[in-house]
Amino acid sequence: MWSGTHVVPDSPDRPGECIPHHNNFELALALFILVGMVVSYLPQHFRIIHKGTSEGISPWFLLLGCVSASSTFLNIVILQWKVIKCCGVLKLGPCLESTLGIAQLGVQFVMFGLVFVLYIIYFPTYKKLAEAVHDNNPRARFLPGQSAEWSLSLAIARVVLGHLIICVLVTIYVLAFLGPESKWTLAWASFLGITSVVLATIQYVPQILRTWRRKSVGALSIPMMLMQTPGAALLTLSLALRPGANWTTWIVYAVTGCLQGTLLIMCIYYHFRAKALGYDSFDSAETDPLIAEGEEDRPPSYY
């Protein structure tokens, strides 16, 4: 155990507030999840960069995921603000151990956000231009020459950035001027937590529908999902054990784990189906109706 650290509490009615808590199992589990979280996202990053395309990934999936991840991260920052402040009096070891839950959610947000960045950078060039521009249509909301999907992706990127900036500013304000125990601060934390739960509940729906319509894996990484689906169960357990966290912090990962498992099963099926029929993983039923029909005699594709 950590020894030699006895911190005077911030207030006399809260004894032991900054006394370090150490548990070998919780520490090992938290570190394993933190490292595993980084490693699990690398196959997805590598696949997009290596293939040079983000085709097949739903921008709505990325929007919901980024907003949910940022909301969850800010939620735990507020709920564990006192733990963060204790780092001013604790030694480095106990400080890092007590804030591992925050680090996990911060890394989750950064790694998922990087997927969105790569999605924009490697968006298929041939999909950026509209096939036809109807200038006389008063209901047209996209820039002339840009495809609807590319314009939508750029708009979603702006929404994600704007949401992050606003939520960070509000969080800084309530913590700095109202304090972590204010009813408004706790209400804001609950709002962020509930928002993340609601969005996580539907996060994978757009991607599941996109993959089902395409009948192909596309730029999605099966190895990433193979690691993350069981990892979601471990992360749920780890976060539930963190001091100061409540159900709004960990329930999101229990829900997303189930939905991600559904997407994983679909991708595995379409992967082996494509190999059996001689298709490439980027061939899509959106552009080739034969894929939807499951033609057995179609010649191989070398996209």
Side-chain angles (χ1 to χ4, degrees):
M1 293 192 54
W2 299 111
S3 58
T5 304
H6 300 282
V7 181
V8 178
D10 292 340
S11 58
D13 60 332
R14 296 185 180 276
E17 185 175 5
C18 288
I19 294 179
H21 168 74
H22 177 73
N23 181 287
N24 288 328
F25 172 75
E26 292 181 17
L27 177 61
L29 179 62
L31 289 174
F32 175 77
I33 292 175
L34 184 63
V35 175
M37 191 175 293
V38 175
V39 174
S40 69
Y41 272 100
L42 295 181
Q44 181 63 78
H45 299 161
F46 176 79
R47 180 171 176 81
I48 295 176
I49 296 173
H50 177 68
K51 297 295 184 179
T53 179
S54 58
E55 188 168 6
I57 299 179
S58 168
W60 293 108
F61 161 70
L62 297 175
L63 167 66
L64 298 174
C66 285
V67 173
S68 177
S70 62
S71 297
T72 308
F73 172 64
L74 293 175
N75 166 272
I76 200 173
V77 167
I78 295 174
L79 294 177
Q80 292 196 310
W81 185 246
K82 290 184 178 180
V83 176
I84 297 175
K85 291 182 65 178
C86 283
C87 284
V89 292
L90 290 176
K91 292 182 179 179
L92 180 61
C95 171
L96 294 178
E97 180 177 357
S98 63
T99 56
L100 276 176
I102 300 173
Q104 288 171 350
L105 299 185
V107 168
Q108 161 80 8
F109 170 64
V110 171
M111 299 301 285
F112 191 89
L114 185 55
V115 176
F116 200 167
V117 172
L118 294 175
Y119 168 82
I120 295 295
I121 294 176
Y122 291 96
F123 190 90
T125 304
Y126 78 95
K127 281 192 172 184
K128 290 184 178 181
L129 300 178
E131 296 181 1
V133 179
H134 303 287
D135 294 329
N136 296 327
N137 183 0
R139 301 181 61 184
R141 298 185 180 181
F142 301 107
L143 296 177
Q146 285 189 333
S147 67
E149 186 176 356
W150 175 234
S151 297
L152 174 64
S153 299
L154 294 178
I156 287 178
R158 298 187 187 99
V159 170
V160 169
L161 181 60
H163 170 271
L164 177 62
I165 293 175
I166 293 174
C167 288
V168 168
L169 292 177
V170 172
T171 300
I172 292 175
Y173 174 81
V174 297
L175 288 175
F177 296 99
L178 302 180
E181 292 186 344
S182 166
K183 65 177 182 178
W184 296 109
T185 302
L186 296 177
W188 173 245
S190 295
F191 170 77
L192 291 173
I194 294 173
T195 297
S196 69
V197 171
V198 172
L199 296 183
T201 302
I202 60 176
Q203 173 188 348
Y204 280 88
V205 174
Q207 187 59 63
I208 290 174
L209 293 176
R210 181 71 178 269
T211 302
W212 179 75
R213 286 195 298 264
R214 286 176 51 85
K215 301 293 189 295
S216 67
V217 178
L220 292 173
S221 172
I222 292 178
M224 177 193 71
M225 290 184 283
L226 283 172
M227 288 185 281
Q228 288 189 353
T229 300
L234 292 177
L235 180 58
T236 300
L237 175 62
S238 176
L239 293 176
L241 296 174
R242 305 310 300 176
N246 59 27
W247 67 271
T248 62
T249 299
W250 57 261
I251 191 69
V252 59
Y253 293 95
V255 175
T256 54
C258 295
L259 294 176
Q260 191 175 47
T262 301
L263 180 61
L264 172 61
I265 293 174
M266 291 176 60
C267 287
I268 292 176
Y269 169 75
Y270 288 134
H271 170 75
F272 286 104
R273 178 175 180 265
K275 291 185 64 175
L277 299 178
Y279 290 100
D280 185 86
S281 60
F282 286 90
D283 287 328
S284 166
E286 294 176 335
T287 56
D288 190 341
L290 293 179
I291 297 179
E293 298 172 4
E295 289 285 336
E296 299 287 343
D297 56 349
R298 183 182 184 275
S301 169
Y302 301 99
Y303 177 82

